[in-house]
C-alpha cells in the first residue's frame, strides 16, 4: 500500500503539515447519548491546533428521527463549508482516541465526493501522549466553498439489508462488542431489542486498534481479525454497528487491506433493533 492509498496519516505527518492552508483538521469525536462532558466541550478544552469540531449529530438529517443519519448533499456541503472546508482541501479527521467517529467523518467525505480525506492514526490520544501541542477555546473558521454529490453506493438501507437476508449477496459485518452482537446484554440504545441481523458476522471494532497507543493494528492483524470471523474480503461487504458510527472503523481497516466498494448500513442497530423491526438472531455467528 502506498502512502497515497493509505487512508491513515501519522502524527508526524500532521505535525509537519499543520501550517498548510490547504490541510484542514477536524475533530469528529463522538460519545453515546447521555455521556458527559459532551464532545464539543472536550474540544473547547483541548484540540489539535487549527482544528474545527465536526459534530456527527449535527451534520446529519435533522428531519429523521433515527440518530445522525446521512444528510442530503446540499446540507452536507453547507455544513462543512461553514467549518472552513473547501472542495480542493485535504481533510484530516481525528477523534479523542478509541477510534469511534473519525472514520465516520472520513467515510462521509468520501461518500460526498472528496477523495483527499485521511484519518489521524491514534487520534488525539496518541498526539497528546507524544507531548504535541494543543489549543483550547472555541473556533470560528472563515467559511469555505464546498460542492457535494452523494454516491448512493456508499450506504445501504434497511430495505436493502432485508433483501440481502434472502440473496446473501453481501456479507454484513457488525462492529459492536461481542456481548451486544450475541444479545447477551441489554442494548444501550434505549428501546432496542438485543441481538444481531440474521446471517451477519461480528468483528468488534475495538479489536482493530491498540488501546495503549491508540494506533490501528498492523495489516496482518487486521486481516486475521476478519478471516477469523469468517469474512471473505474478496466478496461484497456491508458494515453495521449501533448507529452507523463505529462500523466505519471496520470499513477503514478493510480499506487499508485493499477492499473497495464496501458500504455502510447507516441505520444500523438503532433502526433494526426497534421493537417493531425486522427479524433478529442471537448467540454466536
Amino acid at each position: 500500500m502506498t502512502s497515497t492509498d493509505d487512508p491513515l496519516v501519522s502524527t508526524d505527518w500532521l505535525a509537519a503539515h499543520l501550517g498548510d492552508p490547504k490541510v484542514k483538521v477536524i475533530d469528529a469525536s463522538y460519545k453515546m447519548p447521555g455521556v458527559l462532558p459532551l464532545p464539543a466541550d472536550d474540544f473547547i478544552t483541548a484540540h489539535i491546533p487549527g482544528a474545527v469540531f465536526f459534530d456527527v449529530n449535527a451534520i446529519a438529517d435533522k428531519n429523521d428521527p433515527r440518530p445522525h443519519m446521512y444528510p442530503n448533499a446540499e446540507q452536507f456541503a453547507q455544513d462543512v463549508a461553514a467549518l472552513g472546508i473547501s472542495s480542493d482541501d485535504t481533510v484530516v479527521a481525528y477523534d479523542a482516541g478509541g477510534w469511534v467517529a473519525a472514520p465516520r467523518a472520513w467515510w462521509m467525505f468520501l461518500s460526498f465526493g472528496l477523495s483527499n480525506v485521511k484519518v489521524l492514526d491514534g487520534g488525539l490520544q496518541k498526539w497528546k501522549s507524544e507531548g504535541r501541542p494543543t489549543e483550547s477555546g472555541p473556533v470560528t473558521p472563515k467559511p469555505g466553498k464546498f460542492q457535494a454529490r452523494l454516491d448512493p453506493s456508499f450506504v445501504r438501507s434497511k430495505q436493502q439489508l432485508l433483501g440481502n437476508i434472502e440473496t446473501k449477496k453481501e456479507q454484513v459485518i457488525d462492529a459492536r462488542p461481542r456481548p451486544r452482537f450475541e444479545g447477551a446484554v441489554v442494548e444501550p440504545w434505549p428501546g432496542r431489542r438485543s441481538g444481531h441481523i440474521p446471517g451477519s458476522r461480528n468483528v468488534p471494532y475495538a479489536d482493530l486498534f491498540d488501546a495503549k497507543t491508540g494506533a490501528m493494528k498492523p495489516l496482518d492483524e487486521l486481516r486475521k481479525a476478519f478471516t477469523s470471523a469468517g469474512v471473505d474480503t474478496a466478496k461484497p461487504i456491508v458494515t453495521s454497528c449501533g448507529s452507523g458510527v463505529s462500523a466505519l472503523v471496520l470499513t477503514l481497516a478493510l480499506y487499508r487491506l485493499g477492499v473497495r466498494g464496501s458500504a455502510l448500513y447507516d441505520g444500523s442497530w438503532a433502526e433494526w433493533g426497534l421493537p417493531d423491526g425486522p427479524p433478529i438472531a442471537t448467540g454466536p455467528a
Side-chain angles (χ1 to χ4, degrees):
M1 176 180 291
T2 67
S3 59
T4 303
D5 295 331
D6 196 339
L8 297 184
V9 294
S10 67
T11 49
D12 283 342
W13 185 94
L14 183 57
H17 288 80
L18 277 186
D20 188 336
K22 303 307 293 181
V23 174
K24 301 299 171 65
V25 184
I26 61 171
D27 182 329
S29 298
Y30 168 81
K31 297 178 182 179
M32 287 287 287
V35 179
L36 298 174
L38 296 172
D41 294 330
D42 288 337
F43 173 83
I44 291 174
T45 300
H47 55 263
I48 291 175
V52 294
F53 185 65
F54 183 100
D55 191 335
V56 171
N57 286 321
I59 303 178
D61 185 345
K62 296 173 175 58
N63 297 314
D64 195 317
R66 296 169 293 178
H68 42 254
M69 294 293 288
Y70 261 56
N72 61 33
E74 181 181 5
Q75 186 196 328
F76 184 81
Q78 179 180 326
D79 288 346
V80 301
L83 295 179
I85 298 169
S86 296
S87 296
D88 59 349
D89 287 331
T90 294
V91 172
V92 178
Y94 75 87
D95 51 40
W99 290 91
V100 179
R104 164 82 181 192
W106 163 77
W107 195 246
M108 290 183 77
F109 275 101
L110 286 179
S111 302
F112 285 105
L114 183 74
S115 58
N116 292 329
V117 57
K118 304 287 185 178
V119 174
L120 179 63
D121 193 15
L124 187 63
Q125 173 187 340
K126 190 169 186 291
W127 181 271
K128 291 170 70 175
S129 73
E130 294 168 348
R132 300 184 189 271
T134 60
E135 293 179 343
S136 60
V139 176
T140 306
K142 178 184 177 182
K145 295 181 179 180
F146 196 91
Q147 293 182 326
R149 176 180 293 179
L150 176 63
D151 183 340
S153 70
F154 279 70
V155 290
R156 295 289 183 271
S157 66
K158 181 177 73 174
Q159 289 70 30
Q160 288 171 308
L161 267 290
L162 277 167
N164 190 64
I165 290 178
E166 302 299 324
T167 65
K168 297 181 173 61
K169 288 183 177 179
E170 296 181 309
Q171 303 166 95
V172 179
I173 317 176
D174 193 318
R176 292 176 298 158
R178 191 156 286 113
R180 288 175 63 187
F181 176 84
E182 295 181 355
V185 296
V186 175
E187 180 61 27
W189 280 98
R192 271 64 174 188
R193 299 168 293 165
S194 297
H196 58 265
I197 297 170
S200 59
R201 300 288 182 172
N202 184 215
V203 177
Y205 78 93
D207 290 354
L208 303 182
F209 61 89
D210 186 320
K212 290 184 179 180
T213 66
M216 186 163 270
K217 290 182 176 179
L219 296 182
D220 58 341
E221 293 186 41
L222 299 181
R223 190 173 291 107
K224 183 179 179 181
F226 288 102
T227 56
S228 298
V231 176
D232 184 346
T233 56
K235 295 181 179 179
I237 290 171
V238 176
T239 59
S240 180
C241 59
S243 64
V245 177
S246 62
L248 278 317
V249 181
L250 306 190
T251 305
L252 182 75
L254 288 164
Y255 205 91
R256 298 202 75 218
L257 293 172
V259 174
R260 300 294 183 270
S262 68
L264 165 70
Y265 172 28
D266 196 22
S268 284
W269 200 252
E271 176 179 50
W272 196 281
L274 288 167
D276 58 350
I280 64 171
T282 56

